Amino acid sequence: MRGYKEEGTTTTPFDMVVLNDLDRFHLVMDVINRLPQLGARAAYFKQSLRDKLIEHKAYICKHGDDMPEIAGWRWGQKKAGGSSISDTGGDNV
């Protein structure tokens, strides 16, 4: 169960989701942690998720806005080459 954590700060929409551990990165890490069969195979992927959260924090501190890949995401948009993007990250904004 997840809930709202009041930190007394004003930040970006996606960062509010990150601060409450409800973003796509934290949720995927939770899934990895709950699937022991993934073991070491998921270690590099988990690290890349942590790195993305660090990048996110640095970006909003510098620019005061969500990263373009977060802020500009739209449900059903097409990647270069015509395939649909299949993640649901836009639900977090």
Side-chain angles (χ1 to χ4, degrees):
M1 182 59 86
R2 302 286 182 170
Y4 177 72
K5 298 178 194 173
E6 174 58 51
E7 298 291 329
T9 59
T10 302
T11 188
T12 68
F14 185 74
D15 195 46
M16 288 302 297
V17 178
V18 171
L19 290 172
N20 287 292
D21 298 340
L22 294 168
D23 60 282
R24 60 185 122 170
F25 305 110
H26 281 101
L27 295 175
V28 170
M29 286 189 282
D30 282 350
V31 169
I32 291 169
N33 291 337
R34 286 169 171 69
L35 296 172
Q37 66 270 29
L38 295 178
R41 294 184 309 166
Y44 287 110
F45 184 60
K46 272 180 65 173
Q47 186 60 51
S48 71
L49 295 170
R50 286 187 206 104
D51 292 345
K52 197 58 151 172
L53 287 169
I54 292 167
E55 179 186 348
H56 155 76
K57 194 61 152 174
Y59 188 92
I60 63 167
C61 286
K62 182 176 181 179
H63 300 282
D65 203 0
D66 288 321
M67 295 185 296
E69 65 195 73
I70 299 294
W73 191 92
R74 297 291 176 261
W75 187 262
Q77 70 186 14
K78 301 284 184 179
K79 285 184 182 180
S83 64
S84 288
I85 295 176
S86 60
D87 71 45
T88 60
D91 295 348
N92 296 340
V93 177

